[in-house]
Amino acid sequence: MSSQRENIIQRAVQEVENGTIVNLGIGMPTMIANYIPAEKNIFLHSENGLLGIGPYPGEEDVDADLINAGKETVTVKQGGSFFDNAESFAMIRGGHIDLAILGGMEVSSQGDLANWMIPGKMVKGMGGAMDIVQGAQKVVIIMTHTNKNGESKIRKACALPLTGEKVVDRLITDMAVFDFTPSGMVLREVLNGADVKTVEQYTEAPFTIDEALVDREAK
Amino acid sequence: MTKVQTSFEESVARIQDGDTLIVGGFGLCGIPEKAIQALAEKGTKNLTVVSNNCGVNDWGLGLLLENKQIKKMVASYVGENKIFEEQYLSGELEVELVPQGTLAERIRAGGAGIPGFYTPTGVGTPIAEGKEHKVIGGRQCILEEAIQGDAALVKAWKGDAYGNLIYQKTARNFNPLAAAAGKFTIAEVEELVGVGELDPDFIHTPSLYVQHLLVGTSYEKRIERKTVQQA
C-alpha cells in the first residue's frame, strides 16, 4: 500500500468511536477495519445483510454463504446478525448507522459527492452508495487530494455525475481534513507535513480555515 | 399440499419468453444456481431480469447473458461481467441501474402490495431524472415504483414440502424479497426437511410465497473473492 493511502487510513480510523455502528465502503475504506483497536467495541454493518463483520476466515473456515459487500469471504463476530437486503437498507435509511466511511472521486465545496461513474467509461453501478450517503448519521469521505495529473479532486462543483447532493460531513485526504458546515467548507487539520498554503494551492474549492488552525500556524 | 417438484426443466418451463424474472442472490452468494442452469438450457428469451448483480462470465446470470436470453437487466452493480459490458455497449442489452436499497425496497414493495414509495436516495443524481419529486418532512424525495415478477427464482438452505424456507447467513440477501414479489416463485433448497421440522418462530419465507420447491444437489457455491487471514 502506498504511504499516501496508509496515511489516509490512519487518520480515518480516528473517526471510529467506541460502541458505534459503522459501514465501510468497498476498497480503501474496507481496509480501515484492520486498524480499529481491539478495545473499541464496533459493529461493522455490511449492506448485503450482516451486522458484526468479523476478521477474514482461516483457510478451513471459508464459507461461500458468508461474504461482505465487496464479495470477500468474512466471518461473523459474536453477537452479530443476518438479515435480508430490504432490512439492511431500512437500517441505513432509517438512520441506524452512526458512521459511513466511503471513497470518493470528487467532492464539491457544498459537500456534494461523486463516486460512481465517469461519463464515457463503462458504468458499473452505484451499489448501495446513494442510499448510504442519504441515510448514515455521519458521512466521511476518504480520497487522495489530487488526481494522477495533480489536479484538485475537491471542486467548486463536481464535474462528474453525483452520488448525493450536500451529503458529505467530513472529508479526509492525504493532506487535510475538511468539515462541511451550513456556512461552507472548513479546513480543520493539515496532515502529513502539509501546511495551509500547500492545501490552498491544491484545492480548487473555496474554504475557510478553522481558527484553531490559524492560531497554531501563527505560533 | 406438497409443492415439491423433481424436474428443474419442467419448473422453469413455466417461464415464458418476455417475462420479468426476479432472481435472488448477491454477487454469486445465494444464487439459485440450479434453476438458472435449467433456464439457460431451456433458452427462454427476451427476459427482463431483476437482480442485484448479473453473475460472472460463465456462472450465475452470466449464463443467460452468454445465451443472449436477457433483453433488459435491472441491477445495482454489474461490474463483474465482461459479456455484460460488450452487450451493453453494442446496444443489445438494455440496462436500468437502481441504487441497491431502492432496488431492495422496490422488490419488497412489489411483494407487499405497495405501488410505490418516496425516498431521498438518488435526489440530485442521474437516477432522479424524470421522476416525481416531493418534499416530505422538509426533505426532497423522489417517487420509486414497486417491482413485481411474472416469476421469481430463489435459493434457500432448508425448506419443507409446503414451501416454508430458511436461508443461511448472508445467502439470504435478496431471496426472501424475490420470493414474495414473484407471481410464480420457484425455490430451490439444499435440504428438504419434513413438515413441522422447521421451527415456526424461525421461518424466513412463509410457505404461501412459494409455488414450486425443488432440491438441488452438489451445489457449486462459487466464491468471487476468497479472502483469508494473513498467517
Side-chain angles (χ1 to χ4, degrees), chain B residues 18 39-41 58 91 159 163 168:
Chain B
L39 193 60
E41 277 162 37
D58 62 342
Q168 176 140 268

Side-chain angles (χ1 to χ4, degrees), chain B residues 44-185:
Chain B
T44 316
K45 295 234 184 308
N46 290 321
L47 297 169
T48 292
V49 175
V50 181
S51 192
N52 191 56
N53 314 91
C54 197
V56 294
N57 280 357
D58 62 342
W59 193 238
L61 290 171
L63 296 172
L64 303 185
L65 214 50
E66 208 174 1
N67 284 349
K68 304 196 171 178
Q69 291 173 260
I70 305 178
K71 180 187 70 179
K72 182 182 177 183
M73 187 72 210
V74 181
S76 87
Y77 189 83
V78 291
E80 322 287 351
N81 196 317
K82 203 77 195 155
I83 299 173
F84 188 98
E85 188 170 339
E86 288 164 15
Q87 291 186 11
Y88 175 65
L89 293 174
S90 72
E92 281 174 272
L93 179 69
E94 202 184 321
V95 179
E96 182 184 347
L97 289 171
V98 182
Q100 194 182 334
T102 296
L103 181 64
E105 192 63 14
R106 286 177 68 190
I107 300 170
R108 196 199 71 79
I114 304 288
F117 56 91
Y118 289 96
T119 176
T121 299
V123 168
T125 79
I127 297 308
E129 285 166 18
K131 287 180 183 156
E132 185 194 318
H133 284 61
K134 186 171 183 165
V135 176
I136 302 177
R139 205 152 179 213
Q140 184 67 257
C141 297
I142 52 175
L143 178 65
E144 293 283 0
E145 291 181 9
I147 299 175
Q148 276 192 319
D150 297 301
L153 304 179
V154 307
K155 156 74 176 42
W157 177 33
K158 292 180 182 179
D160 66 24
Y162 287 177
N164 290 304
L165 304 175
I166 62 169
Y167 306 90
Q168 176 140 268
K169 301 176 183 146
T170 57
R172 191 181 322 178
N173 55 60
F174 281 83
N175 280 298
L177 313 171
K183 287 178 202 145
F184 192 87
T185 294

Side-chain angles (χ1 to χ4, degrees), chain A residues 11 170 176-181 183-190 196 199-200 206-218:
Chain A
R11 177 59 190 79
R170 174 164 276 195
V177 178
F178 295 98
D179 281 342
F180 295 83
T181 72
S183 54
M185 184 171 136
V186 184
L187 176 65
R188 296 281 189 216
E189 297 171 33
V190 287
V196 171
V199 173
E200 278 173 338
F207 58 87
T208 56
I209 303 161
D210 189 323
E211 279 179 26
L213 194 58
V214 176
D215 293 347
R216 220 173 309 151
E217 287 244 331

Side-chain angles (χ1 to χ4, degrees), chain A residues 1 67 70 104 106 117 126 138 148 153 188 215-216:
Chain A
M1 190 167 29
I67 63 168
E106 286 180 347
M117 75 175 277
M126 68 296 282
K138 184 176 182 185
K148 283 181 204 132
K153 288 161 75 172
R188 296 281 189 216
D215 293 347
R216 220 173 309 151

Side-chain angles (χ1 to χ4, degrees), chain A residues 60-77:
Chain A
E60 66 284 0
D61 294 321
V62 168
D63 184 345
D65 287 340
L66 183 42
I67 63 168
N68 64 15
K71 289 141 192 155
E72 298 172 323
T73 47
V74 292
T75 57
V76 57
K77 125 178 195 165

Side-chain angles (χ1 to χ4, degrees), chain A residues 102-165:
Chain A
L102 305 177
M105 293 176 184
E106 286 180 347
V107 170
S108 82
S109 53
Q110 64 163 2
D112 299 341
L113 170 69
N115 77 348
W116 73 287
M117 75 175 277
I118 301 171
K121 284 202 178 177
M122 177 64 195
V123 181
K124 294 181 168 187
M126 68 296 282
M130 288 187 183
D131 309 276
I132 292 169
V133 295
Q134 291 293 346
Q137 292 293 342
K138 184 176 182 185
V139 174
V140 173
I141 300 302
I142 58 174
M143 65 181 192
T144 54
H145 206 97
T146 57
N147 65 20
K148 283 181 204 132
N149 305 322
E151 296 155 347
S152 175
K153 288 161 75 172
I154 311 163
R155 312 280 302 260
K156 283 178 192 146
C158 293
L160 297 170
L162 297 186
T163 306
E165 231 172 29

